[in-house]
Amino acid sequence: MPGFELFGEAERKEVQDVLNSGVLMRYGFDNQRQGHWKAKAMELEICQQLNVKHAQLLSSGTAALTSALVVAGIGAGDEVIVPAFTFVASFEAVLMVGATPVLVDIDDTLTMSPAAVAQAISAKTKAVMPVHMCGSMADMDALKSICKTENLLLIEDACQAIGGTYKGQNLGTIGDLGCFSFDAVKTITCGEGGAVITNNDLFAPLLDQYSDHGHDHLGSNRGTDGHPILGYNFRISELNAAVGLAQARRLPEFLRHQKHYYHILKTALARIPEIEFRRVPEGGEESYAFLNFFLPTEEQTKAAMLLFADQGIGECFHYLDNNWHYVRQWDHLKWGNALNNLNEAQKIGLALIGRQNFQRSDAFLGRNISCLIKLGMTSTEVEQRAELMATLIGKVV
Ligand SMILES: *Cc1c(COP(=O)(O)O)cnc(C)c1O
């Protein structure tokens, strides 16, 4: 997945343009910027590549999730359904806007189970936020249909799955709003950055205003801009956007690499009959950022992970007891360890999570190994890694 492994001349040139003009701000300074608009250019590149009308580049993926919730009108008293296997940013963004996160189980796709979503809906539910973990998607038709029937917004967290598709549509463009992260370890990186994409013409200007203190960006003088709404500062700098612009142009190249390496790994592991691969919903194509598979038991999975560590096979994850990605270790969430006051609905919601049973997710994650597809390796190195992994797994199953 990580684009940082392939930095080169293109990234350096874009950054140098920004340093040469000295304009680090994405808005204004029209005369000094020598024609360079890196954030705008990256937004255009994303729109063209993902076939979507609007993209708003922001300072992080977490800022993207937060802004998506805000422009969708979600706030205090509202509930947002998120999966129990994700990254902490999912519930952080929901809490930030004053809403209450409701966690649900995953299924064999390793993403949110539509059946669990249907059960979790209450009169306060406003949005469903599937997270396309490790490069692949949830059953989007089922989620879309639930959202339509129940009149809920569908907000996709596609931070780990840029370039994946579902029935011909790019991930992030299926729901009302889609979010990406371009942090240091994502498929394409700005260093720090993120984006919200949408085909909704009403959300687009709100994203632009909200992320820059409510500026309407109508005139040519920031000082006299109007402020139709209360906003915040989630702007990205031109330096970060410059790196991301070069990386976004290289997305097709990165995806080709990922797919090639993924298939080398999958072919080697498919020889082991005990291995079962993650289910990709019909009509879906992964971004190939990770290869995910299940061993028959949790014990075998833990034993394989120990052998991997012993033999220097890095960047493979067993997420069951991971601090950042799965509810089991989120005591800070269950206990509501916030520095400032949470609202009453949030306090009640978090206490509920503490008493909730996630056995179904435990069962999937207990047997799952998630292997990062590294862009910086050569085909030969990937082949050697694949053979060693197959040999080691062969010893435990
Ligand atoms: C990385 C990531 C985020 C947050 O992105 P940041 O840019 O680090 O704030 C959100 N969701 C998922 C699934 C991620 O992997």
Side-chain angles (χ1 to χ4, degrees), residues 14 29 48 52 59 85 88 91 115 132 161 189 221 265 297 354 364 385 393:
E14 297 302 327
F29 297 91
Q48 286 169 349
V52 66
S59 53
F85 173 50
V88 290
F91 62 74
H132 306 312
T189 184
N221 177 354
L265 205 54
T297 69
F364 288 114
R385 179 174 157 95
I393 291 171

PDB file of all heavy atoms in Angstrom, residues 14 29 48 52 59 85 88 91 115 132 161 189 221 265 297 354 364 385 393:
ATOM      1  N   GLU A  14       7.301  18.763  -7.844  1.00  0.00           N
ATOM      2  CA  GLU A  14       6.095  19.475  -7.386  1.00  0.00           C
ATOM      3  C   GLU A  14       6.386  20.279  -6.119  1.00  0.00           C
ATOM      4  O   GLU A  14       5.926  21.411  -5.979  1.00  0.00           O
ATOM      5  CB  GLU A  14       4.943  18.493  -7.130  1.00  0.00           C
ATOM      6  CG  GLU A  14       4.461  17.725  -8.359  1.00  0.00           C
ATOM      7  CD  GLU A  14       3.979  18.605  -9.495  1.00  0.00           C
ATOM      8  OE1 GLU A  14       3.431  19.687  -9.213  1.00  0.00           O
ATOM      9  OE2 GLU A  14       4.176  18.221 -10.661  1.00  0.00           O
ATOM     10  N   PHE A  29      -3.269  34.570  -2.867  1.00  0.00           N
ATOM     11  CA  PHE A  29      -1.908  34.853  -3.356  1.00  0.00           C
ATOM     12  C   PHE A  29      -1.802  34.632  -4.871  1.00  0.00           C
ATOM     13  O   PHE A  29      -0.788  34.132  -5.369  1.00  0.00           O
ATOM     14  CB  PHE A  29      -0.862  33.978  -2.645  1.00  0.00           C
ATOM     15  CG  PHE A  29      -0.756  34.216  -1.159  1.00  0.00           C
ATOM     16  CD1 PHE A  29      -1.516  33.469  -0.260  1.00  0.00           C
ATOM     17  CD2 PHE A  29       0.107  35.186  -0.650  1.00  0.00           C
ATOM     18  CE1 PHE A  29      -1.430  33.683   1.105  1.00  0.00           C
ATOM     19  CE2 PHE A  29       0.208  35.399   0.724  1.00  0.00           C
ATOM     20  CZ  PHE A  29      -0.564  34.653   1.607  1.00  0.00           C
ATOM     21  N   GLN A  48     -10.928  13.226 -11.822  1.00  0.00           N
ATOM     22  CA  GLN A  48     -10.794  12.557 -13.120  1.00  0.00           C
ATOM     23  C   GLN A  48     -10.554  11.066 -12.953  1.00  0.00           C
ATOM     24  O   GLN A  48     -11.180  10.237 -13.609  1.00  0.00           O
ATOM     25  CB  GLN A  48      -9.656  13.192 -13.927  1.00  0.00           C
ATOM     26  CG  GLN A  48     -10.054  14.556 -14.475  1.00  0.00           C
ATOM     27  CD  GLN A  48      -8.882  15.326 -15.060  1.00  0.00           C
ATOM     28  OE1 GLN A  48      -7.727  14.941 -14.896  1.00  0.00           O
ATOM     29  NE2 GLN A  48      -9.178  16.426 -15.728  1.00  0.00           N
ATOM     30  N   VAL A  52     -15.645  11.286 -10.338  1.00  0.00           N
ATOM     31  CA  VAL A  52     -16.560  11.883  -9.364  1.00  0.00           C
ATOM     32  C   VAL A  52     -16.553  13.395  -9.582  1.00  0.00           C
ATOM     33  O   VAL A  52     -15.569  13.956 -10.083  1.00  0.00           O
ATOM     34  CB  VAL A  52     -16.135  11.483  -7.921  1.00  0.00           C
ATOM     35  CG1 VAL A  52     -14.783  12.074  -7.547  1.00  0.00           C
ATOM     36  CG2 VAL A  52     -17.194  11.843  -6.894  1.00  0.00           C
ATOM     37  N   SER A  59      -6.691  18.320   5.568  1.00  0.00           N
ATOM     38  CA  SER A  59      -5.444  18.105   6.289  1.00  0.00           C
ATOM     39  C   SER A  59      -5.237  16.671   6.763  1.00  0.00           C
ATOM     40  O   SER A  59      -4.121  16.291   7.111  1.00  0.00           O
ATOM     41  CB  SER A  59      -5.391  19.051   7.493  1.00  0.00           C
ATOM     42  OG  SER A  59      -6.572  18.899   8.265  1.00  0.00           O
ATOM     43  N   PHE A  85     -14.424  -3.240  13.592  1.00  0.00           N
ATOM     44  CA  PHE A  85     -13.067  -3.380  13.056  1.00  0.00           C
ATOM     45  C   PHE A  85     -12.865  -2.230  12.079  1.00  0.00           C
ATOM     46  O   PHE A  85     -13.491  -2.171  11.024  1.00  0.00           O
ATOM     47  CB  PHE A  85     -12.915  -4.723  12.340  1.00  0.00           C
ATOM     48  CG  PHE A  85     -11.613  -4.897  11.599  1.00  0.00           C
ATOM     49  CD1 PHE A  85     -10.394  -4.642  12.220  1.00  0.00           C
ATOM     50  CD2 PHE A  85     -11.605  -5.338  10.278  1.00  0.00           C
ATOM     51  CE1 PHE A  85      -9.191  -4.814  11.545  1.00  0.00           C
ATOM     52  CE2 PHE A  85     -10.404  -5.518   9.591  1.00  0.00           C
ATOM     53  CZ  PHE A  85      -9.200  -5.253  10.222  1.00  0.00           C
ATOM     54  N   VAL A  88      -9.371   3.917  14.781  1.00  0.00           N
ATOM     55  CA  VAL A  88      -9.998   4.768  15.801  1.00  0.00           C
ATOM     56  C   VAL A  88     -10.598   6.060  15.236  1.00  0.00           C
ATOM     57  O   VAL A  88     -11.508   6.633  15.839  1.00  0.00           O
ATOM     58  CB  VAL A  88      -9.015   5.126  16.942  1.00  0.00           C
ATOM     59  CG1 VAL A  88      -8.696   3.906  17.800  1.00  0.00           C
ATOM     60  CG2 VAL A  88      -7.744   5.767  16.402  1.00  0.00           C
ATOM     61  N   PHE A  91     -14.646   6.426  15.156  1.00  0.00           N
ATOM     62  CA  PHE A  91     -15.443   6.923  16.294  1.00  0.00           C
ATOM     63  C   PHE A  91     -14.977   8.307  16.729  1.00  0.00           C
ATOM     64  O   PHE A  91     -15.767   9.096  17.240  1.00  0.00           O
ATOM     65  CB  PHE A  91     -15.492   5.920  17.454  1.00  0.00           C
ATOM     66  CG  PHE A  91     -14.181   5.578  18.096  1.00  0.00           C
ATOM     67  CD1 PHE A  91     -13.539   6.464  18.936  1.00  0.00           C
ATOM     68  CD2 PHE A  91     -13.600   4.338  17.878  1.00  0.00           C
ATOM     69  CE1 PHE A  91     -12.334   6.148  19.550  1.00  0.00           C
ATOM     70  CE2 PHE A  91     -12.391   3.999  18.479  1.00  0.00           C
ATOM     71  CZ  PHE A  91     -11.752   4.914  19.309  1.00  0.00           C
ATOM     72  N   ALA A 115     -26.536  -7.171   7.989  1.00  0.00           N
ATOM     73  CA  ALA A 115     -27.521  -7.688   8.952  1.00  0.00           C
ATOM     74  C   ALA A 115     -27.336  -7.012  10.307  1.00  0.00           C
ATOM     75  O   ALA A 115     -28.314  -6.648  10.975  1.00  0.00           O
ATOM     76  CB  ALA A 115     -27.370  -9.199   9.083  1.00  0.00           C
ATOM     77  N   HIS A 132     -13.964   0.447   4.279  1.00  0.00           N
ATOM     78  CA  HIS A 132     -13.434  -0.556   3.346  1.00  0.00           C
ATOM     79  C   HIS A 132     -12.034  -0.958   3.805  1.00  0.00           C
ATOM     80  O   HIS A 132     -11.028  -0.512   3.254  1.00  0.00           O
ATOM     81  CB  HIS A 132     -13.420  -0.002   1.925  1.00  0.00           C
ATOM     82  CG  HIS A 132     -14.746   0.523   1.466  1.00  0.00           C
ATOM     83  ND1 HIS A 132     -15.921  -0.194   1.613  1.00  0.00           N
ATOM     84  CD2 HIS A 132     -15.110   1.692   0.880  1.00  0.00           C
ATOM     85  CE1 HIS A 132     -16.932   0.516   1.120  1.00  0.00           C
ATOM     86  NE2 HIS A 132     -16.461   1.663   0.680  1.00  0.00           N
ATOM     87  N   ALA A 161      -8.622   1.928   0.762  1.00  0.00           N
ATOM     88  CA  ALA A 161      -9.052   1.181  -0.423  1.00  0.00           C
ATOM     89  C   ALA A 161      -9.134   2.044  -1.676  1.00  0.00           C
ATOM     90  O   ALA A 161      -9.921   1.746  -2.575  1.00  0.00           O
ATOM     91  CB  ALA A 161     -10.393   0.521  -0.140  1.00  0.00           C
ATOM     92  N   THR A 189       0.256   9.289  -0.726  1.00  0.00           N
ATOM     93  CA  THR A 189       0.445  10.093   0.479  1.00  0.00           C
ATOM     94  C   THR A 189       0.761  11.546   0.175  1.00  0.00           C
ATOM     95  O   THR A 189       1.359  11.864  -0.856  1.00  0.00           O
ATOM     96  CB  THR A 189       1.564   9.499   1.366  1.00  0.00           C
ATOM     97  OG1 THR A 189       1.658  10.263   2.568  1.00  0.00           O
ATOM     98  CG2 THR A 189       2.914   9.513   0.662  1.00  0.00           C
ATOM     99  N   ASN A 221     -10.434  38.773  -2.140  1.00  0.00           N
ATOM    100  CA  ASN A 221      -9.793  39.280  -0.928  1.00  0.00           C
ATOM    101  C   ASN A 221     -10.325  38.494   0.272  1.00  0.00           C
ATOM    102  O   ASN A 221     -11.487  38.620   0.650  1.00  0.00           O
ATOM    103  CB  ASN A 221     -10.122  40.782  -0.788  1.00  0.00           C
ATOM    104  CG  ASN A 221      -9.555  41.378   0.486  1.00  0.00           C
ATOM    105  OD1 ASN A 221      -9.003  40.665   1.337  1.00  0.00           O
ATOM    106  ND2 ASN A 221      -9.684  42.696   0.632  1.00  0.00           N
ATOM    107  N   LEU A 265       1.457 -13.474  -4.267  1.00  0.00           N
ATOM    108  CA  LEU A 265       1.252 -13.956  -2.895  1.00  0.00           C
ATOM    109  C   LEU A 265       0.058 -14.917  -2.823  1.00  0.00           C
ATOM    110  O   LEU A 265       0.143 -15.999  -2.230  1.00  0.00           O
ATOM    111  CB  LEU A 265       0.998 -12.735  -2.003  1.00  0.00           C
ATOM    112  CG  LEU A 265       1.307 -12.837  -0.534  1.00  0.00           C
ATOM    113  CD1 LEU A 265       2.741 -13.293  -0.327  1.00  0.00           C
ATOM    114  CD2 LEU A 265       1.140 -11.447   0.126  1.00  0.00           C
ATOM    115  N   THR A 297      -8.137 -22.200  12.567  1.00  0.00           N
ATOM    116  CA  THR A 297      -8.381 -21.866  13.980  1.00  0.00           C
ATOM    117  C   THR A 297      -7.549 -20.659  14.426  1.00  0.00           C
ATOM    118  O   THR A 297      -6.543 -20.317  13.796  1.00  0.00           O
ATOM    119  CB  THR A 297      -8.001 -23.039  14.922  1.00  0.00           C
ATOM    120  OG1 THR A 297      -6.567 -23.182  14.890  1.00  0.00           O
ATOM    121  CG2 THR A 297      -8.656 -24.351  14.500  1.00  0.00           C
ATOM    122  N   GLY A 354     -19.271  -0.775  25.920  1.00  0.00           N
ATOM    123  CA  GLY A 354     -18.532  -1.537  26.931  1.00  0.00           C
ATOM    124  C   GLY A 354     -19.216  -2.838  27.314  1.00  0.00           C
ATOM    125  O   GLY A 354     -18.554  -3.792  27.722  1.00  0.00           O
ATOM    126  N   PHE A 364     -14.052 -13.890  13.308  1.00  0.00           N
ATOM    127  CA  PHE A 364     -13.389 -13.622  12.012  1.00  0.00           C
ATOM    128  C   PHE A 364     -11.961 -13.123  12.223  1.00  0.00           C
ATOM    129  O   PHE A 364     -11.025 -13.594  11.583  1.00  0.00           O
ATOM    130  CB  PHE A 364     -14.191 -12.614  11.193  1.00  0.00           C
ATOM    131  CG  PHE A 364     -15.471 -13.182  10.643  1.00  0.00           C
ATOM    132  CD1 PHE A 364     -16.707 -12.727  11.070  1.00  0.00           C
ATOM    133  CD2 PHE A 364     -15.432 -14.220   9.706  1.00  0.00           C
ATOM    134  CE1 PHE A 364     -17.889 -13.264  10.575  1.00  0.00           C
ATOM    135  CE2 PHE A 364     -16.605 -14.769   9.197  1.00  0.00           C
ATOM    136  CZ  PHE A 364     -17.842 -14.298   9.645  1.00  0.00           C
ATOM    137  N   ARG A 385       9.181 -14.037  -0.512  1.00  0.00           N
ATOM    138  CA  ARG A 385       8.331 -13.810   0.669  1.00  0.00           C
ATOM    139  C   ARG A 385       7.136 -14.769   0.617  1.00  0.00           C
ATOM    140  O   ARG A 385       6.778 -15.389   1.619  1.00  0.00           O
ATOM    141  CB  ARG A 385       7.867 -12.345   0.645  1.00  0.00           C
ATOM    142  CG  ARG A 385       6.951 -11.893   1.769  1.00  0.00           C
ATOM    143  CD  ARG A 385       6.760 -10.366   1.620  1.00  0.00           C
ATOM    144  NE  ARG A 385       5.557  -9.828   2.232  1.00  0.00           N
ATOM    145  CZ  ARG A 385       5.511  -9.293   3.461  1.00  0.00           C
ATOM    146  NH1 ARG A 385       6.575  -9.264   4.212  1.00  0.00           N
ATOM    147  NH2 ARG A 385       4.375  -8.796   3.940  1.00  0.00           N
ATOM    148  N   ILE A 393       3.194 -21.391   6.970  1.00  0.00           N
ATOM    149  CA  ILE A 393       1.789 -21.709   7.252  1.00  0.00           C
ATOM    150  C   ILE A 393       1.580 -23.228   7.160  1.00  0.00           C
ATOM    151  O   ILE A 393       0.865 -23.827   7.967  1.00  0.00           O
ATOM    152  CB  ILE A 393       0.845 -20.951   6.299  1.00  0.00           C
ATOM    153  CG1 ILE A 393       0.887 -19.457   6.627  1.00  0.00           C
ATOM    154  CG2 ILE A 393      -0.590 -21.467   6.428  1.00  0.00           C
ATOM    155  CD1 ILE A 393       0.168 -18.572   5.639  1.00  0.00           C
TER     156      ILE A 393
END
